[in-house]
Amino acid sequence: MILFPAIDLKGGQCVRLKLGDMAQATVFNDDPGAQARAFQDQGFEWLHVVDLDGAFAGESRNGEAVDSILASTTNPVQLGGGIRTMEQIDAWLEKGIRRVILGTVAVRDPDLVKAACKAHPGRIAVGIDAKGGKVAVEGWAETSELTAVDLAKQFEDAGVSAIIYTDIDRDGVLKGLNIPSTLELADAVSIPVIASGGLASIEDVKRLLEPDCARLEGAISGRALYDGRLDPAEAQALIKAARGN
């Protein structure tokens, strides 16, 4: 299992939202590059970055902050938020982003996702954000009629490298991951699934290391890391022990 520390960008700062509400943003660091370095120094192997402003605007709004992150860490970075065209996908991958996350466009234009997977094998992920079981788009501002499983199945044979599944009703409020819904999605498709939204403590990490979660690629942690509820060293030690190294 991979534990992905999250950097959510708003106005060039590292923030965490509650329930996806931009009006409920807490600033945790005004230097995204320094935050990326700190996560690498803590032993994390990947970095999950979201351009929140971009998700609402439909195009990059925190490019300088992402550039700073890329310059500050050697860890692979996956990036989502406002990436809606092939040109934007190409540009970010050329800059050094390891994996681009496509969310709204996966609902609006699934053919673009499939074309991107063909053009960039192994470097395209789909972000599926669900509220009340239905997929939300446009920075979570709108809810579609699609279920998470319905959307995921559209990409079953497209070459998507991972699905990042976020339960919006748990995001940023430390309620714990929605394991049942995440496993339901993982059972429905062969694409690796990453759990997101609500990871609250070391108990969530322990739960993710139980046998039924072995088919998940990993999980994303945000607020719990920033406010000290999850100790990075303890989490990494558990994961390494589970891997047998």
Side-chain angles (χ1 to χ4, degrees), residues 3-187:
L3 190 60
F4 298 78
I7 294 180
D8 288 358
L9 298 169
K10 181 176 185 284
Q13 298 175 310
C14 304
V15 306
R16 297 303 297 167
L17 304 185
K18 280 190 177 179
L19 304 172
D21 184 356
M22 288 287 269
Q24 297 190 67
T26 303
V27 177
F28 282 100
N29 197 328
D30 59 8
D31 187 340
Q35 187 63 61
R37 276 194 304 276
F39 281 141
Q40 180 169 321
D41 291 345
Q42 288 167 358
F44 292 104
E45 300 169 343
W46 269 83
L47 190 59
H48 175 79
V49 179
V50 178
D51 181 346
L52 295 172
D53 300 304
F56 282 91
E59 60 184 19
S60 175
R61 285 287 188 268
N62 285 281
E64 287 185 13
V66 177
D67 289 343
S68 172
I69 289 167
L70 288 171
S72 302
T73 181
T74 57
N75 279 353
V77 177
Q78 59 184 23
L79 172 69
I83 304 172
R84 311 275 170 87
T85 68
M86 190 67 84
E87 289 75 19
Q88 292 168 341
I89 294 166
D90 293 343
W92 280 121
L93 293 177
E94 287 171 11
K95 276 194 169 189
I97 292 296
R98 179 70 60 86
R99 187 156 69 182
V100 164
I101 305 163
L102 303 178
T104 294
V105 76
V107 176
R108 304 277 197 240
D109 188 2
D111 287 340
L112 175 63
V113 177
K114 294 171 184 177
C117 288
K118 285 184 180 178
H120 303 288
R123 301 184 72 187
I124 305 298
V126 168
I128 298 181
D129 307 324
K131 189 174 181 65
K134 296 297 179 70
V135 176
V137 295
E138 306 292 346
W140 301 350
E142 299 176 21
T143 305
S144 73
E145 289 304 309
L146 277 174
T147 69
V149 170
D150 289 339
L151 180 58
K153 283 183 173 178
Q154 292 185 28
F155 303 109
E156 179 68 308
D157 299 314
V160 170
S161 62
I163 290 172
I164 296 148
Y165 174 71
T166 302
D167 183 339
I168 298 170
D169 295 318
R170 293 175 182 242
D171 192 69
V173 295
L174 301 165
K175 284 185 177 180
L177 292 165
N178 187 340
I179 296 294
S181 291
T182 305
L183 291 180
E184 179 188 0
L185 180 61
D187 285 341

Side-chain angles (χ1 to χ4, degrees), residues 188-220:
V189 293
S190 61
I191 306 165
V193 173
I194 298 168
S196 174
L199 196 152
S201 70
I202 198 68
E203 295 307 314
D204 282 305
V205 177
K206 291 175 181 176
R207 177 68 184 88
L208 288 161
L209 293 172
E210 291 180 12
D212 61 338
C213 288
R215 56 194 181 279
L216 300 179
E217 180 173 299
I220 292 165

